[in-house]
Structures are given as C-alpha cells and as structure tokens.
Amino acid sequence: MSTTFTIDTSTSRANPTPAPMKRLTVPAIQRRKGGEPLVMLTAYTVRMAQLLDPHCDLLLVGDSLGQVIYGLPSTLPVTVEMMCAHGAAVVRGSYHAVVVIDMPFGSYEASPEQAFVSAARIMAETGAAGVKLEGGEAMAPTVAFLSARGIPVMGHIGLTPQAVNALGGYGARGRTNAEHAKIVADARAIAAAGAFAIVAEGVVEPLARAIVAEVSCPVIGIGASADCDGQVLVTEDMLGLFDRTARFVKKFDDLAGRISTAVETYAGDVRSRTFPGPEQTYQPKD
C-alpha cells in the first residue's frame, strides 16, 4: 500500500493513510535480477519513510544512523535497541517498500544461534521484511542458518564499515588481484547460502561487474557500478544535508542550504516581530 497524508489537528503531525498498493515482497525483489534497477535509500524515521516510500523498492534502516542521527564516530556503538526503535518507525511510515534492517556490530558474529536470537527480535519488534549483515565466506553459515529459519537476509560485502578497524580505513576495495578474488568468493558464498540480495560497497568498478555476473541474486551497489542491479545511498547524503560525503555520493539537492535559508528567514521574522502574524494567532470570539 502507498501512503497519502492527512493532518491530525489534535497533534499537528502527518499520519499515513493507506491507499491501494500492495507492499513489495522479498521474492519480488529477487525477481528483479537483471531487470529494472532497484531503488534503495536509508530511512530512520516515520516522516522520512513516508516521503521515500512511493519512490523506493527498498528502505534500509542502516546502522549508519549511528553517525547520521546520533553523531557517533562510527557504526560500531549502535545497539539492537536502536535498530529496533528506528526500524519500527520506518515500517509504520511505509506501505510499499521492502524494509530491511541492519544487524549491528556484535549482534550476530559469534554464532548462527546468536544471529538468530538478534534477528528474530528485530523482525518481531519492527515488522520488517528482512535483515542485513556484513561479511563474506565467514558469514555464509549464518546466512544459511537464518534463511532456513524464515529470516530473509541481505548480504553486504566489499567495504564493510563494521570491519573498518581491520580494513584500515574506508578506501575502495578490490584493487589487487588477491582482494578481487576474495570478494568475488565472498559474494558467491553468501549468495549460495541463501542471501536474497547483496550490497556491494566501495569496490572498484570491474569488481562490481564481476560480482553481478557471478551471483544469481540482485547486487545493489554503493560506490560500485551503474551496472549493478540497483543502487543505495544514505538519504541525508544524497539530499545534501552534510558537507563531507564519500566520493561515490551524488548530491541531488542542497537541503542543508535551503534549511539554513529558511531558518535565517524565520529568525529575522521573530526578531522583527512580524511572526507570528494574524494568520498564526488566535483571537477572542465575539
């Protein structure tokens, strides 16, 4: 179902009203391999989910919320509780897109059983359609374990932010023959384990094309290649809310600039006492 909006005058908040549109499913996403490119963006709040939902096939509640929402230095401090709270908000604000939620660092790496407990909690508390986890061959048994128990899993290979300390930074991956081969093997392993899609982040373009050709599930690129089966970006990056972004980000707007201008105008109206005006104030009834 899609989303239209009405204003609840008792709360002055936009509330989603269902309109006839069936929500996409994980199998529908899988069938898009080699077809119309998948559109995926991050969302962390109800209102942003409402705005993105009509245009996106997938909404990712990314652990990038640690940096974008909470100002943390990396994704590592993000908790399952944070992901559940924001994930539930995004599910409430969407009717069309498949909602996928990142499993945060430390919630799945120890064992497939640990991963199941974390993923089951996330799915139950949010109503999301699936989870995303980082890692290649080492995580294939976990992907298989979750998939066999009814939890759709999206993989994430290449530049994996949760492993930034081990990788030595956020540089592009796959520049050497050995690393190229390793990442292709990672993609094969998690696809064979049952991942319904794979995010390939920060990889050189020939490697991205090789991954797309090697696996039967959709490959969603971020800093990869236009030849991927879809693309994902952090919404706040593509809207121009941050000055510093990765090389692979295209800013489709300058929302930071427009917000600054609007707030400057508001501040001027307050200081000149032109706001609030007659239209924004209540007068006694005769």
Side-chain angles (χ1 to χ4, degrees):
M1 302 177 75
S2 66
T3 304
T4 56
F5 307 105
T6 58
I7 298 297
D8 179 345
T9 55
S10 66
T11 63
S12 297
R13 292 177 181 169
N15 293 311
T17 301
M21 180 184 286
K22 187 177 180 181
R23 191 187 285 274
L24 290 171
T25 64
V26 165
I29 297 300
Q30 291 175 298
R31 291 193 292 269
R32 294 278 287 275
K33 174 71 176 181
E36 181 183 19
L38 293 160
V39 177
M40 184 174 180
L41 284 169
T42 60
Y44 317 116
T45 64
V46 166
R47 186 58 179 145
M48 190 61 80
Q50 291 171 342
L51 296 172
L52 302 180
D53 188 56
H55 310 287
C56 292
D57 304 300
L58 299 116
L59 293 177
L60 173 66
V61 186
D63 58 0
S64 50
L65 64 82
Q67 293 144 307
V68 174
I69 301 294
Y70 292 96
L72 297 170
S74 72
T75 62
L76 299 184
V78 172
T79 64
V80 171
E81 288 75 17
M82 293 161 70
M83 300 309 303
C84 285
H86 289 273
V90 170
V91 171
R92 287 194 296 270
S94 61
Y95 290 90
H96 167 63
V98 169
V99 178
V100 178
I101 301 181
D102 267 342
M103 297 186 69
F105 177 71
S107 70
Y108 62 93
E109 295 91 339
S111 68
E113 291 78 12
Q114 182 209 26
F116 179 81
V117 170
S118 299
R121 176 183 175 186
I122 289 170
M123 299 282 285
E125 292 189 16
T126 67
V131 297
K132 181 169 76 65
L133 56 80
E134 297 182 8
E137 289 181 291
M139 297 311 303
T142 296
V143 173
F145 192 89
L146 297 182
S147 299
R149 286 156 179 79
I151 298 179
V153 180
M154 176 180 285
H156 186 152
I157 60 172
L159 173 58
T160 47
Q162 291 178 8
V164 64
N165 291 322
L167 295 174
Y170 292 97
R173 319 310 300 180
R175 295 191 183 278
T176 67
N177 291 338
E179 191 172 51
H180 178 112
K182 172 64 170 62
I183 294 173
V184 169
D186 286 339
R188 286 198 204 103
I190 59 174
F196 76 87
I198 297 172
V199 170
E201 178 173 359
V203 297
V204 295
E205 192 164 20
L207 173 54
R209 294 196 186 105
I211 294 168
V212 171
E214 285 286 338
V215 300
S216 59
C217 65
V219 176
I220 299 170
I222 175 168
S225 171
D227 290 331
C228 289
D229 300 298
Q231 302 294 327
V232 61
L233 284 174
V234 171
T235 298
E236 286 76 3
D237 286 344
M238 58 83 68
L239 289 177
L241 278 170
F242 292 105
D243 294 330
R244 296 179 60 190
T245 58
R247 172 195 172 105
F248 54 72
V249 173
K250 177 179 178 179
K251 294 184 179 182
F252 289 81
D253 202 339
D254 175 27
L255 207 53
R258 294 204 284 139
I259 290 172
S260 180
T261 298
V263 174
E264 181 181 20
T265 302
Y266 163 74
D269 284 4
V270 169
R271 290 173 181 134
S272 66
R273 299 188 184 277
T274 58
F275 174 83
E279 300 85 356
Q280 293 90 36
T281 55
Y282 300 95
Q283 304 301 322
K285 293 183 179 180
D286 295 333

